[in-house]
C-alpha cells in the first residue's frame, strides 16, 4: 500500500459542519484515498460492523441545499482570491 501525504489544509477545507458535527462528504473522502466514491460506500456497507453507528448519514433536502450554498460561496471566494493573486502577480512583474 502506498503512503499518501496530504497537507492539513487540504483536509480542513473538506470538512463541513452539519447537525452540530464535523463531517466529510463521501466524494471528498474517496478523493483523498484516490478511489471512486462508490467504492468507499461499498466498503462501508460491507464492513458496517467496523464503523460506529453514526459514522455515516444522508443529508436531508434542506441540509443539501445549505451545503451547496456554502460550497458556492467558498468556490466564489477561492476564485476571487485566485484572480486577485494573478492580478497582483501581473502588476508586480
Amino acid at each position: 500500500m502506498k503512503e499518501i501525504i496530504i497537507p492539513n489544509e487540504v483536509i480542513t477545507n473538506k470538512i463541513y459542519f452539519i447537525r452540530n458535527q464535523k463531517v466529510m462528504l463521501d466524494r471528498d473522502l474517496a478523493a483523498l484515498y484516490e478511489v471512486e466514491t462508490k467504492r468507499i460506500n461499498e466498503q462501508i456497507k460491507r464492513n458496517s460492523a467496523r464503523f460506529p453507528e453514526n459514522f455515516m448519514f444522508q443529508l436531508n433536502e434542506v441540509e443539501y441545499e445549505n451545503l451547496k450554498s456554502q460550497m458556492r460561496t467558498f468556490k466564489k471566494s477561492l476564485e476571487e482570491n485566485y484572480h486577485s493573486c494573478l492580478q497582483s502577480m501581473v502588476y508586480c512583474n
Side-chain angles (χ1 to χ4, degrees):
M1 187 162 133
K2 75 178 185 179
E3 183 177 335
I4 301 173
I5 300 173
I6 303 167
N8 288 338
E9 296 80 24
V10 172
I11 295 172
T12 302
N13 289 335
K14 305 286 186 196
I15 297 174
Y16 301 94
F17 198 70
I18 302 171
R19 297 184 191 176
N20 295 319
Q21 296 181 55
K22 292 180 184 178
V23 300
M24 183 177 269
L25 301 178
D26 55 355
R27 70 174 188 199
D28 293 333
L29 189 59
L32 289 174
Y33 283 100
E34 298 179 345
V35 298
E36 295 177 49
T37 303
K38 67 182 180 180
R39 298 293 173 228
I40 288 283
N41 291 320
E42 284 173 358
Q43 290 305 311
I44 292 169
K45 286 177 186 174
R46 285 185 187 150
N47 300 292
S48 61
R50 294 183 176 187
F51 296 95
E53 190 175 312
N54 63 350
F55 179 76
M56 191 167 132
F57 61 85
Q58 189 166 6
L59 300 177
N60 63 38
E61 191 172 331
V62 172
E63 291 167 332
Y64 178 70
E65 291 303 321
N66 287 338
L67 182 61
K68 284 191 339 187
S69 175
Q70 284 179 22
M71 293 173 101
R72 278 193 299 269
T73 301
F74 181 69
K75 183 178 177 187
K76 183 177 179 185
S77 173
L78 282 179
E79 289 171 353
E80 288 170 357
N81 288 333
Y82 177 72
H83 292 301
S84 174
C85 289
L86 283 181
Q87 289 171 351
S88 296
M89 288 167 47
V90 171
Y91 294 133
C92 290
N93 291 331

